[in-house]
Amino acid sequence: SKTDLVEFPWPAYHAITDFLQAAGLFPPADGDYIFTALSDSATHLPNVTSPPSGGIEGGKALNPLTSSMVNRLVKKYARWAGLDHTRITTHTLRHTAAMLRAGLTDDVREIQRFLNHTHLNTTQIYLQHAGRRTDNLWVQVETLIGVD
């Protein structure tokens, strides 16, 4: 199976490491997750077992957040941002990232590597609508993130 390693933007990395330092959790030990349920109160969240399935040790959960929980958070913050949260998922963010990169480069192989696609035709499916932005939601996203 593929390893889910993704490129992480430097501003996001620095914001997370600043937070972890302030919380006394930096540098993380090998094998530590940074996106976890860190307290028993997190067991009230959807998709977090009681206690987290890996347990809590030294105040740290031993398992990462599930992809479905991350998707719920994306929807929550999209709603808070005034976007149509029913149409935004983590997968929508992947498509958005692919389209933004397509606007910056014609190198489809570079975009394929960024998306960690095994097959080029999968990347081409992502990009087939890159030139046709008739979706009003896309205009809202562009305005929100400051893309002209």
Side-chain angles (χ1 to χ4, degrees):
S1 81
K2 282 197 297 193
T3 302
D4 289 338
L5 296 176
V6 295
E7 180 179 317
F8 210 64
W10 280 109
Y13 171 80
H14 289 299
I16 290 168
T17 56
D18 288 349
F19 167 79
L20 291 173
Q21 285 174 340
L25 300 172
F26 191 84
D30 285 346
D32 278 357
Y33 300 105
I34 60 170
F35 299 111
T36 62
L38 293 177
S39 68
D40 287 333
S41 64
T43 60
H44 301 289
L45 297 170
N47 303 313
V48 176
T49 59
S50 178
S53 59
I56 296 178
E57 182 177 293
K60 292 184 181 180
L62 303 178
N63 285 339
L65 289 176
T66 63
S67 59
S68 60
M69 184 62 201
V70 172
N71 200 43
R72 286 178 189 258
L73 291 170
V74 166
K75 287 181 170 295
K76 173 183 174 179
Y77 293 118
R79 184 176 58 249
W80 286 4
L83 301 172
D84 182 358
H85 68 281
T86 63
R87 297 182 59 197
I88 296 178
T89 65
T90 51
H91 201 78
T92 307
L93 298 178
R94 281 181 59 83
H95 279 269
T96 301
M99 290 173 62
L100 289 171
R101 287 201 170 225
L104 298 172
T105 181
D106 291 331
D107 187 349
V108 178
R109 294 268 180 203
E110 182 180 321
I111 297 169
Q112 176 189 9
R113 282 188 297 278
F114 170 74
L115 294 172
N116 199 24
H117 286 157
T118 303
H119 303 287
L120 185 60
N121 62 343
T122 305
T123 305
Q124 290 169 331
I125 290 168
Y126 271 59
L127 300 177
Q128 71 185 357
H129 300 291
R132 295 181 275 147
R133 295 188 191 150
T134 57
D135 184 1
N136 289 334
L137 182 61
W138 176 252
V139 174
Q140 291 176 32
V141 170
E142 285 181 327
T143 301
L144 182 68
I145 63 176
V147 175
D148 293 325

